[in-house]
Amino acid sequence: MAIKLTGGEIYDPAHQVDGQNKDLYIVDGKLQKSLTDNEKLDQTYDLSNCIVMAGAIDLHTHIGGGKVNIARTMMLEDAHSHPHPGSDILRSGNGRAVPSTFSSGYRYAEMGYTACFEPAVLPVNARQAHMELADTPMVDKGGYALLGNDDFLLNMIREGATQNAINDYVAWLLDATQCIGIKVVNAGGIHAFKYNQRRLDVDETGPAGSNPREIIATLSKAVHELGIAFPLHVHASNLGVPGNFASTLATMAAADGLPIHLTHIQFHSYGTEGDYKFSSAACEIAEAINNNKNVSADVGQIMFGQTITTSGDTMMQYFGHDHASPKKWTIMDIECEAGCGVIPFKYRDKSFVNALQWAIGLEIFLQVNDPWRVFLTTDHPNGAPFTSYPHLIKLLMDRSFRNDVFKIIHKGAQKASNLASMDREYSLYEIAIMTRAAPAKILGLSNHGHLGEGANANITVYRKQNDIEQMFAKPAYVFKNGTLIVKDGEIVETVQGVTHVVKPEFDRAIEKRLKKYFDDFQTISFNNFKISNDEMIECIGNEIETHPCGKI
Amino acid sequence: MSLTTVTYKGRTKQRLDMRWLSQAINESTNSDTARKLSLQIGNEKTNVGDVFDISGSLSNQTAILENSNQSMDYLGHALTKNTELTVKGDVGHFAGAELSGGKVIIDGSTQDYAGCGMSKGLIEVTGNANDYLGGAFSGDKKGMSGGTILVHGNSGNFTGDLLRRGTIMVVGNIGDYCASRMIAGTITNLGTIGKQVGVGMRRGTILLPHKPKDVLTGFHDCGRHNLGYLTLLLHEIRQFKSTFQSLHPMRRRVQRYIGDTTVGGQGEMLIWIG
């Protein structure tokens, strides 16, 4: 099957293509520069007056795993008030803040996304998470395994295990849980919470005998030495606490120059100035990102309205549980590996704190100079549902629209933020970087996020419109591996994506030690814990695509 | 004004989502358009006209449904001000759910969750109502938040679960867990009541003719009272044509219990004296 896309304005930052007209050829799901003599063109799409980008990639969105399911069960009112009826080709579903699995896949595809990554796969829950992701159609998936609060790692660090042994454990875990990266949530903090500690600073020694700085340094070194493309994904300490920007800067420093990705950094950029003792430290954080080339971040922008916060960070979720709206919440430990906190939340534009959070997120977007190191996320569903991305893109691309919204938020927040003075407007090229090229590059997905020869034909075509939000909300065409899946914002065919994984090499000797640990302490046997490739494909239903490890 | 009659002529045993009817009444849809509305029955898609006869227009926002059965859910769902639906026969779950000003008269019995999440209007049931009368959709933190439910027969368990405001009047008996987790509002009956009355109740009033067999430990006897406001309440209750009109309009002597103190609640359970 050969398809030609002609006449569109191409935005392909990986190949420095900035709005030039170029023809694209799709042959058997891959992109080609031109057709060979024996290939016959089957279909041509005239894309004049259209913008063409690679399929978008969301590198941080909670769409599968235990806590999302808890959120779905808890937010039945969300499910009830947002029904999505099925059709001849679509399965039914529901929900806006936490859509059901099928709905998540459909809504992402309708916005032109072709890959999504679940950032908190608890190793012991990995099977469940992959099962949910298998039920999320249309998009490619992947997960980051959660470490940094599990007894095995903390014991290793306390006992002074060698870096090689830790590397083996990390590699084994990635293999066993079928994940693509490692995430740390409040390093040591979730563990300390179980000992009734309510706060753990970066240089404070927790009950496990180690401090967050050591844990992050050890893990970022492990990820680097194993040659995993995606840097350590860090949810820093003290989320949501006024003055936490100092912890965030300390966390950046903990990586000691090695690559580190700080996630939902908006929640970690708060100062303590002003009448409310809550202020924006976006400037300090953005400056640190600008100055440290090893640091990347996704923003975790908030949007006003009802959502639900789901996090493994039981310590900080407990800190915020009083603000639950509607009033219901869950905090639980998961098998001594990490935790789970689910709290519904309503962000209000007339609340000083919420309004300033909104402004801080945008300030970070606008002050980080390099779009290759800042990613467009709302930390779905924590900041806002992912369906608000088109609105967020409009806020970034349209200064006057941004200032109009800024004028209606809490007056105190307006005074506390310098957002109105920021002139920067993101260009389509920069949006293409932060939603396509950069995530693919940082995740090590060589065939994704670009429109060069040999890339998977994941393509999103937007029809040019004055309203940027409308344009990004309803793409004219979306192709997934060469198949037309969305036309004019409506799904026309359903497909199943693959799961991206990495399988670094490791010394099998670690399994002996792990087996003893499992026999002594775990609720699941060592052999049952591991998810084999066969199980992943045949039982769970996720095709896997393994990406190479090694120095890049 | 001609009466609009909707008659069910189907035979399916599958559940029927009747929200189309409320939508048609609310929007004063003409009968031709209503007949063309799509309807999912089990795994089949059909049109309203295939399973219902509609005589007259729905434009006057009043309708009579005939030949209803217990499979019909969401009858009278979210009807708004000045609308009226009369149902001749039994109905399914969620009858009058999210009602916001209309009037739903059911000449038969209802299944669970009648009047669930309603905020305004009147639901009158001549037969019995089942569980969660005036309750909340599962997961919701608030149940019925206004309006009136009048049941001439009995009601099931969890009557008024998470009730926030409004009045539930049951002429007959009420099942177990009446007023469970009730936030505020009024529940009254004339018959017997089951176990665990007012468990987890915060505020509001339960007005009963007889003391329940087992009063919860969280309820405390506050003695006999002569409450003036009861005459006002009776005035409200007696305006509906029902057996409640036999209560003397000046009756106001009650035994008062307060609870459920196990959750810090200060609701009142009042038992008529004399």
Side-chain angles (χ1 to χ4, degrees), chain A residues 202-317:
Chain A
V202 179
D203 287 308
E204 187 180 344
T205 303
S210 51
N211 62 35
R213 185 185 291 274
E214 282 175 73
I215 298 170
I216 287 164
T218 311
L219 282 174
S220 57
K221 204 167 178 192
V223 169
H224 182 69
E225 288 184 0
L226 288 168
I228 299 165
F230 190 48
L232 186 66
H233 195 81
V234 181
H235 160 138
S237 310
N238 294 329
L239 180 140
V241 180
N244 63 5
F245 78 100
S247 311
T248 314
L249 296 176
T251 306
M252 285 183 198
D256 206 15
L258 294 176
I260 184 170
H261 178 91
L262 289 162
T263 189
H264 40 70
I265 201 156
Q266 177 273 128
F267 290 105
H268 301 275
S269 307
Y270 305 148
T272 49
E273 288 163 16
D275 297 341
Y276 295 88
K277 301 289 173 218
F278 181 79
S279 62
S280 164
C283 190
E284 288 87 339
I285 294 293
E287 195 184 338
I289 297 175
N290 288 336
N291 292 339
N292 296 293
K293 303 291 179 209
N294 60 323
V295 178
S296 59
D298 62 82
V299 172
Q301 175 67 28
I302 71 145
M303 293 289 174
F304 304 118
Q306 177 71 55
T307 190
I308 183 161
T309 65
T310 63
S311 174
D313 192 349
T314 43
M315 183 183 255
M316 297 338 287
Q317 288 289 81

Side-chain angles (χ1 to χ4, degrees), chain B residues 255-273:
Chain B
Q255 185 84 19
R256 184 165 178 247
Y257 294 81
I258 196 163
D260 180 352
T261 51
T262 48
V263 294
Q266 295 186 332
E268 56 182 11
M269 180 163 69
L270 309 176
I271 318 292
W272 291 116
I273 300 172

Side-chain angles (χ1 to χ4, degrees), chain B residues 179-195:
Chain B
S180 58
R181 308 184 287 174
M182 176 162 145
I183 304 161
T186 307
I187 300 176
T188 179
N189 82 334
L190 294 174
T192 62
I193 195 156
K195 290 181 287 186

Side-chain angles (χ1 to χ4, degrees), chain A residues 400-414:
Chain A
S400 59
F401 174 69
R402 182 167 72 225
N403 286 346
D404 287 347
V405 182
F406 187 66
K407 275 178 204 148
I408 58 169
I409 66 170
H410 189 280
K411 291 277 181 288
Q414 287 184 33

Side-chain angles (χ1 to χ4, degrees), chain A residues 8-12 17-24 50 52 451:
Chain A
E9 258 179 41
I10 313 272
Y11 289 86
D12 182 14
V17 182
D18 184 6
Q20 285 94 332
N21 278 317
K22 216 172 78 169
D23 291 347
L24 295 174
C50 287
V52 183
L451 300 171

Side-chain angles (χ1 to χ4, degrees), chain A residues 458-527:
Chain A
N458 297 331
I459 303 168
T460 307
V461 180
Y462 301 104
R463 194 159 283 127
K464 275 190 196 168
Q465 289 182 40
N466 289 334
D467 188 346
I468 299 284
E469 187 175 342
Q470 279 299 318
M471 185 178 103
F472 278 95
K474 277 192 172 222
Y477 302 104
V478 180
F479 294 89
K480 176 90 181 70
N481 292 337
T483 308
L484 179 69
I485 55 169
V486 172
K487 193 177 173 191
D488 296 325
E490 307 259 329
I491 294 173
V492 291
E493 187 164 345
T494 55
V495 291
Q496 193 67 19
V498 297
T499 298
H500 296 284
V501 297
V502 288
K503 305 263 178 194
E505 285 298 316
F506 61 95
D507 182 353
R508 299 275 158 187
I510 191 76
E511 291 191 343
K512 205 170 156 191
R513 186 172 169 180
L514 275 160
K515 188 164 186 325
K516 185 171 182 328
Y517 172 76
F518 271 77
D519 289 345
D520 289 349
F521 301 111
Q522 281 288 45
T523 53
I524 181 170
S525 83
F526 178 73
N527 289 328

Side-chain angles (χ1 to χ4, degrees), chain A residues 366 396-400 402 423-427 430:
Chain A
L366 299 173
L396 296 176
M397 290 186 68
D398 187 341
R399 184 180 172 230
S400 59
R402 182 167 72 225
D423 295 338
R424 185 172 171 191
E425 286 183 339
Y426 269 78
S427 65
E430 285 174 316

